[in-house]
Each structure stands twice: as C-alpha cells, then as structure tokens.
Amino acid sequence: MTELTELTAVQLVDGYRKGEFSPVEVTRAALERAERIQPEVNAFVRITAQEALAQARESADRWRRGEPAGLVDGVPVTVKDILLMRGAPTLKGSKALPEKGRWDEDAPSVARLREHGAVFLGKTTTPEFGWKGVTDSPLSGVTRNPHDPSRTAGGSSGGAAAAVALGAGPLALGTDGGGSVRIPAAFCGIFALKPTYGRVPLYPASAFGTLAHVGPMTRDAADAALMLDVIGAPDGRDWSGLGPSAVSHRGVLREGVRGLRIAYSPSLGGQVRVQPGVSAAVRRAVERLARLGAYVEETDPDLTDPVDAFHTLWFSGAARVTQRFGPYQRELLDPGLREICGLGARYSALDYLAAVDVRMDLGRRMGRFHESYDLLVTPTVPITAFEAGAEVPKGSGHRRWTGWTPFTYPFNMTQQPAASVPVGVDGDGLPVGLQIVAARHRDDLVLRAAHALDEVTPSGS
C-alpha cells in the first residue's frame, strides 16, 4: 500500500471522499515526515504541528458530514516564509526583522487555501528576502537537496521544494522573481509553475515589483492545476492582480498536446552551455511530446541575454527592501545581499527606465514568437544541483547566481507562465527539469503539456 505521504493532493481528496483515510491520519504522517527530514535537509523555518492537527480535525468533521469546505479540504500545505500566514511570524530569512508582531493576516494565496480547508504544516526556508537562486540565510542556515544533502536544494523556494520531494505535504506555496520556484523544482525533482503575472494575487507587494510571482510547487501538474484553481481567485489587496480565470485549470489537463506547435530551444541559440546529462534528459522528453502528437521544431526565440537589465531591476528592488535599515540591521544581512543592495542604491531613475525598455522589447519579441509557436521548451537549468551553501558552483567563474540560470529570469521579465517538469536524472542520479513557457495568459497550455509529460515519463528516466 502506498504511504500516505506519497499520495498527491488529488489522491488525498479522492480518498477523503471515499472514507479510505482521514485528514488527521494524513496530517500526522506529514508532520512525522517533516520532523524526520528537518535535521538533514533543513526545509522548515517553523513546523506548526498543533495548529495543523486542529485544522485536520475540523476537516475530518466536515468530511464526515459530507460538507468539505473546498477543493483542498484536509490537504497538507506548506508556505514559503516570504508570504504572510496568520499566527506565525514571517521573517523572510532575515535576522534584521523583528519576530514580535500581531501576525494576524494571510497573504491572498494563503487566505484562499485556508478558505478551501487546507491544513498548514508550517513555513519553509528562503534565502534572505528571496534574493538568490539557492537557499541559505543568516536566520535558518543551509537547506539541502533531498537527493544528495551535500548539494543545494536550489532557491529561493528551496525549503518548499525539499518538503514536497520528501513527502512533507503534497502542496507548497513558493514565490518566483527570477526562477525561484523553477530552479529548486528542477534540482529536487518536483513540478513547479510560475503562472502569468497577476494570475495569483500577491500582498504585500514585492519590492521586486512585477518580476515577482506566486506559484504552486507540487509533485505533478495535476496537483498544480488543482492548487491554481484555488489560489488564482482575485483579491482586492493586489491592484495588479487579474480577474477570475476564464478556464478551470483542472478541466483542460486531458486536452493533451496533439496539434500544438512546440519550439525546442536546447541552448537559446548556443548562448548557454548545458551539461550533457541535462541535454540528454530534456531531449528525450521533447521526443515524447512529438510522439504524443505535438509539432516540434528545434528553433530559438529572438533573445539576447537580458541579465544586465535584470540586475538593474533586481538589485534596485533589493536596495528598496533594506532602504530604511540602520547600520546594525545592515550588519546582520547576508554579505551577498548587502553587496547587491549597495549596487542597487547607486542606479538612477534613468538606469531603471532603460532596464524597463529592455524588458518591454523582450516582451514584444516573445509576443511575436508565440504567434508562430504555442510553447517554448528549454532546460529549466543548464546544470544539476551543486554544492550546498554556495551561491555559484565552485570553479564556474560566475559572480552571481544569475550566471548559472539563464533560462529562467527572462520569463519573469516578460511575465509569461513557465513551469519546470521533472524529466529524469543525469548520470549521477541528480534530477533534471524541463521548462515549458507559453504566451501570457496561456497557463492552460503549460499545464496541458506538463500533464502529458507526467503521464509518459517513467520514474527515474
């Protein structure tokens, strides 16, 4: 019999409906798993066991009455410690923020999950203010990869990815400003979706502005579609949020990829050096999409690396986060964060607007590209997980985390939906992710293609 911690959210809800097990049993199993993995991978900032069990008992009562509160009633979920969760401090990986406070408000995505009866296991780790693509912070230390604890889980939603991969809840909320759900999903072997900007409301607004997305991190696309149907509801606190979705994301999954036009770009026209094991796993998955009836063409979008413009936007946002910090608070910061804050504070308004111009042109190019192709497929990350506790791989020559993840941050700049799908492992047994990108507002196409791959990708292939 499959362990309760290995079941997806879809399977859990079906089991609750049939009376095969209860939310209390599932929550106890998930909490036990969370406690067991914590010493080795450090996925959690805080495990809220008593609160979770109380929520599970309330859910069990609703299921006994045949009156579930919503789509994920009784399903364990974790929340990245960037997002507000009522009853728990949100310290964002920083020693510079005070723990004392009322902490009586949920972020929009957390509020929607609570309304649908989710059970909250706790808060997951993040680098300080989510500033980099790996997860270590002055507050909580280093988060490690579930497949090899000597390696990084990726970031900035690294704790969320590790928790899902190891069975500490099938659903996790992450944030993504430059790859932060997709990078750890690829490194940890799970699924993650960065939806179209505004599809999931965000409050308080991110200092990184409209680069920052909220998205589901799950074992597969079906769970992500379920979660997106919950957290994608509008919230008046986010002035840039979209209206209600025109489709049920769960409802489109079975439409598959037959007839879709897919552009496969293995290296963005030779701009990215990709590890052979990553290339091979991604190419095998692309061949599966072709066998499922998609029209696949190896071609590249008209893109040049926008890293300098991204840095202007990103570093400026970091400087804004810490703008009011005094000398003592600044001394507490991650040294790398302190460095980029200094750089960001020196940009002028004209520098920022020049970066916005690059961003708008990038969006124009991708808009034209998607007139010819429904989807773009690339590797999620050109490498597999490297040593834990480092911002960049040893000997890589990269100065900042953006140097080793050139496939992810361009699509934060364009606000497009993008997912990382687990498609196997490299020769060392480390997970590989494939990225699927669609035009803005076509999250449904990303989920359809990811679900099609889920159904034909053998475990460990």
Side-chain angles (χ1 to χ4, degrees):
M1 178 180 174
T2 303
E3 288 190 39
L4 293 177
T5 54
E6 305 307 315
L7 297 177
T8 66
V10 170
Q11 291 169 329
L12 290 177
V13 171
D14 186 54
Y16 297 155
R17 185 177 295 111
K18 295 174 179 176
E20 295 174 346
F21 39 76
S22 80
V24 175
E25 294 173 89
V26 169
T27 299
R28 283 188 178 133
L31 287 169
E32 287 173 7
R33 182 64 62 89
E35 295 283 1
R36 192 183 317 150
I37 69 172
Q38 181 62 9
E40 187 168 32
V41 300
N42 189 32
F44 287 87
V45 175
R46 182 182 303 267
I47 297 173
T48 53
Q50 289 186 341
E51 296 90 337
L53 286 169
Q55 293 160 7
R57 286 189 285 269
E58 291 172 0
S59 173
D61 287 341
R62 290 191 294 269
W63 279 108
R64 275 193 292 270
R65 297 195 306 269
E67 299 173 354
L71 296 177
V72 292
D73 200 343
V75 177
V77 63
T78 62
V79 178
K80 183 181 181 181
D81 199 37
I82 291 290
L83 298 167
L84 294 176
M85 187 178 87
R86 196 173 73 220
T90 299
L91 302 181
K92 304 182 180 183
S94 182
K95 290 184 174 181
L97 296 181
E99 186 169 340
K100 290 184 178 179
R102 294 176 62 182
W103 306 117
D104 58 357
E105 189 172 23
D106 285 331
S109 50
V110 178
R112 300 295 84 77
L113 286 164
R114 198 182 297 277
E115 290 164 2
H116 280 256
V119 171
F120 294 96
L121 299 181
K123 304 296 290 290
T124 54
T125 54
T126 175
E128 197 164 17
F129 302 108
W131 80 271
K132 60 185 174 180
V134 294
T135 302
D136 57 76
S137 76
L139 183 68
S140 57
V142 178
T143 297
R144 299 177 178 276
N145 193 291
H147 296 266
D148 179 350
S150 72
R151 299 176 186 256
T152 180
S156 61
S157 306
V164 171
L166 290 171
L171 303 181
L173 276 174
T175 62
D176 189 317
S180 290
V181 300
R182 289 162 289 155
I183 295 165
F187 281 0
C188 294
I190 69 163
F191 179 84
L193 171 69
K194 178 187 76 68
T196 299
Y197 178 80
R199 177 74 278 145
V200 180
L202 177 60
Y203 171 86
S206 172
F208 298 108
T210 57
L211 294 172
H213 303 227
V214 178
M217 303 179 71
T218 60
R219 289 203 186 90
D220 60 24
D223 270 11
L226 171 66
M227 197 172 176
L228 188 58
D229 280 345
V230 173
I231 65 177
D235 190 294
R237 293 173 291 174
D238 183 354
W239 65 270
S240 64
L242 302 176
S245 175
V247 300
S248 161
H249 296 96
R250 290 164 295 145
V252 302
L253 291 178
R254 293 290 175 186
E255 295 180 21
V257 297
R258 183 168 297 280
L260 293 184
R261 302 162 299 169
I262 297 179
Y264 167 43
S265 178
S267 62
L268 294 181
Q271 295 182 72
V272 183
R273 182 178 297 177
V274 181
Q275 286 179 352
V278 172
S279 290
V282 171
R283 186 173 291 276
R284 287 194 298 269
V286 170
E287 291 168 353
R288 294 184 194 112
L289 289 171
R291 290 196 294 271
L292 290 169
Y295 300 110
V296 177
E297 179 182 347
E298 189 167 325
T299 188
D300 305 299
D302 177 25
L303 297 182
T304 53
D305 188 355
V307 68
D308 291 336
F310 179 80
H311 281 168
T312 300
L313 300 171
W314 194 252
F315 296 175
S316 297
R320 177 64 175 162
V321 168
T322 59
Q323 183 178 19
R324 292 183 173 83
F325 283 5
Y328 174 72
Q329 288 172 297
R330 290 185 181 278
E331 193 59 33
L332 296 173
L333 296 176
D334 179 329
L337 174 60
R338 192 163 56 238
E339 181 181 338
I340 70 163
C341 287
L343 294 171
R346 293 198 287 271
Y347 291 127
S348 70
L350 289 178
D351 293 331
Y352 192 93
L353 290 173
V356 171
D357 286 342
V358 172
R359 184 179 189 181
M360 289 191 293
D361 184 61
L362 194 67
R364 176 191 63 81
R365 294 184 190 201
M366 287 308 302
R368 294 299 300 270
F369 182 80
H370 284 293
E371 290 175 357
S372 300
Y373 299 98
D374 298 301
L375 296 170
L376 169 66
V377 169
T378 72
T380 305
V381 189
I383 59 176
T384 50
F386 52 90
E387 60 269 24
E391 182 185 346
V392 301
K394 189 180 299 182
S396 67
H398 298 307
R399 177 77 181 100
R400 295 264 78 103
W401 63 273
T402 43
W404 51 263
T405 182
F407 291 112
T408 57
Y409 56 79
F411 304 110
N412 292 81
M413 297 181 76
T414 61
Q415 303 188 338
Q416 293 171 251
S420 181
V421 186
V423 291
V425 296
D426 71 356
D428 295 323
L430 294 170
V432 173
L434 170 148
Q435 181 174 235
I436 303 173
V437 183
R440 291 173 73 242
H441 312 295
R442 293 313 306 267
D443 306 71
D444 60 314
L445 293 181
V446 174
L447 287 165
R448 279 170 53 184
H451 183 64
L453 274 177
D454 284 343
E455 295 200 312
V456 297
T457 300
S459 176
S461 66

